[in-house]
């Protein structure tokens, strides 16, 4: 089995390379997704593993672009950010799995082999099923509120009325089963819906 890992954490990548030596047929590490599209045009690994946060690169966006050109490529995310929103996005773009970096080497190999054989690996916790998904607009509102914007500022940014913003906030609170915007923001962060990398 040929595996390529793209991860900018060099120490983690090297440790994994050492641990997998002799356990898989071929394991390669790339520290950046730059040039990966061209690489796949020449040689396709059995499984491509991507980190989510790679400096200026977002693994989910990288995977989406790659799958547009190579829809049959098996992609698995290997990340310490094991969040429901990331799971959902990975499924939407056509990835085959999501594995937490805290996994043991034995279990990692087992799960990657399952993907290689045609399976899918997407963990689900009991609490995940209790959360109703937010709409795209509700996610926008929550993100802007997390960035410190007031309701009127959010309304102006999105070209909607303040009343509509308030309705969205109430809907978010109901879906998250919380009673304040602060609690909703905290829940959004836990689920990976709210990004802490605010753009100024």
């Amino acid at each position: 089995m040929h595996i390529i890992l793209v991860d900018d954490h060099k120490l983690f990548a090297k440790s994994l390379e050492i641990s997998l030596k002799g356990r898989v047929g071929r394991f390669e590490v790339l520290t950046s997704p730059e040039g990966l599209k061209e690489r796949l045009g020449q040689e396709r690994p059995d499984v491509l593993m991507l980190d989510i946060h790679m400096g200026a690169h977002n693994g989910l966006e990288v995977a989406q672009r790659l799958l547009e050109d190579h829809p049959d490529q098996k992609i698995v995310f290997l990340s310490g950010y094991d969040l429901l929103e990331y799971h959902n996005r990975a499924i939407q773009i056509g990835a085959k799995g999501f594995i937490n970096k805290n996994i043991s080497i034995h279990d990692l190999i087992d799960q990657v082999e399952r993907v290689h054989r045609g399976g899918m690996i997407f963990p689900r916790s009991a609490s995940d099923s209790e959360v109703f998904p937010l709409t795209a607009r509700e996610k926008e509102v929550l993100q802007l509120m997390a960035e410190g914007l007031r309701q009127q500022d959010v309304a102006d940014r999105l070209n909607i009325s303040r009343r509509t913003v308030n309705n969205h906030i109430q809907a978010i609170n109901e879906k998250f089963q919380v009673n304040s915007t602060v609690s909703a923001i905290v829940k959004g962060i836990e689920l990976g819906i709210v990004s802490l990398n605010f753009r100024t």
Side-chain angles (χ1 to χ4, degrees), residues 148-195:
L149 273 67
R150 296 171 301 175
Q151 287 192 27
Q152 187 59 55
D153 296 329
V154 173
D156 294 341
R157 179 78 66 87
L158 300 178
N159 294 315
I160 57 180
S161 69
R162 180 172 178 174
R163 180 176 181 180
T164 299
V165 171
N166 187 58
N167 289 340
H168 284 312
I169 292 173
Q170 290 182 8
I172 293 168
N173 290 348
E174 289 177 5
K175 289 181 177 181
F176 283 176
Q177 299 179 22
V178 298
N179 54 17
S180 73
T181 300
V182 172
S183 297
I185 291 170
V186 171
K187 187 70 173 180
I189 292 172
E190 292 175 350
L191 295 174
I193 294 172
V194 171
S195 170

Side-chain angles (χ1 to χ4, degrees), residues 3-200:
I3 300 173
I4 291 180
L5 168 68
V6 186
D7 194 313
D8 65 338
H9 295 90
K10 296 180 181 179
L11 182 60
F12 170 79
K14 188 62 178 179
S15 299
L16 191 56
E17 183 179 13
I18 293 172
S19 299
L20 291 177
K21 188 175 182 179
R23 298 185 183 221
V24 297
R26 184 179 171 194
F27 183 78
E28 297 180 78
V29 174
L30 302 177
T31 56
S32 169
E34 294 176 6
L36 185 57
K37 182 177 178 179
E38 292 74 17
R39 172 73 179 272
L40 295 183
Q42 300 170 354
E43 181 183 27
R44 300 269 294 278
D46 295 309
V47 178
L48 174 63
M49 293 197 295
L50 297 174
D51 191 10
I52 297 277
H53 299 286
M54 298 181 286
H57 301 281
N58 181 311
L60 291 162
E61 295 174 356
V62 170
Q64 184 172 9
R65 291 193 296 269
L66 292 175
L67 288 170
E68 288 173 357
D69 292 326
H70 308 285
D72 296 329
Q73 176 63 58
K74 294 184 173 78
I75 294 180
V76 172
F77 290 101
L78 182 62
S79 175
Y81 296 89
D82 193 3
L83 304 171
L84 176 62
E85 180 73 4
Y86 292 167
H87 296 174
N88 291 341
R89 178 80 189 281
I91 292 171
Q92 288 171 0
I93 65 179
K96 301 300 181 184
F98 197 108
I99 302 173
N100 193 302
K101 280 187 174 180
N102 292 326
I103 196 171
S104 69
I105 290 296
H106 176 79
D107 289 340
L108 173 63
I109 295 173
D110 179 63
Q111 294 200 15
V112 172
E113 286 180 342
R114 286 173 60 187
V115 170
H116 183 215
R117 294 193 300 266
M120 295 181 70
I121 307 294
F122 284 100
R124 281 286 184 272
S125 68
S127 60
D128 290 346
S129 61
E130 298 171 1
V131 178
F132 290 96
L134 302 187
T135 65
R137 179 62 88 187
E138 288 167 352
K139 290 177 183 177
E140 284 184 299
V141 169
L142 185 60
Q143 177 66 45
L144 292 174
M145 294 296 292
E147 293 177 20
L149 273 67
R150 296 171 301 175
Q151 287 192 27
Q152 187 59 55
D153 296 329
V154 173
D156 294 341
R157 179 78 66 87
L158 300 178
N159 294 315
I160 57 180
S161 69
R162 180 172 178 174
R163 180 176 181 180
T164 299
V165 171
N166 187 58
N167 289 340
H168 284 312
I169 292 173
Q170 290 182 8
I172 293 168
N173 290 348
E174 289 177 5
K175 289 181 177 181
F176 283 176
Q177 299 179 22
V178 298
N179 54 17
S180 73
T181 300
V182 172
S183 297
I185 291 170
V186 171
K187 187 70 173 180
I189 292 172
E190 292 175 350
L191 295 174
I193 294 172
V194 171
S195 170
L196 295 178
N197 299 318
F198 300 153
R199 296 172 182 171
T200 56

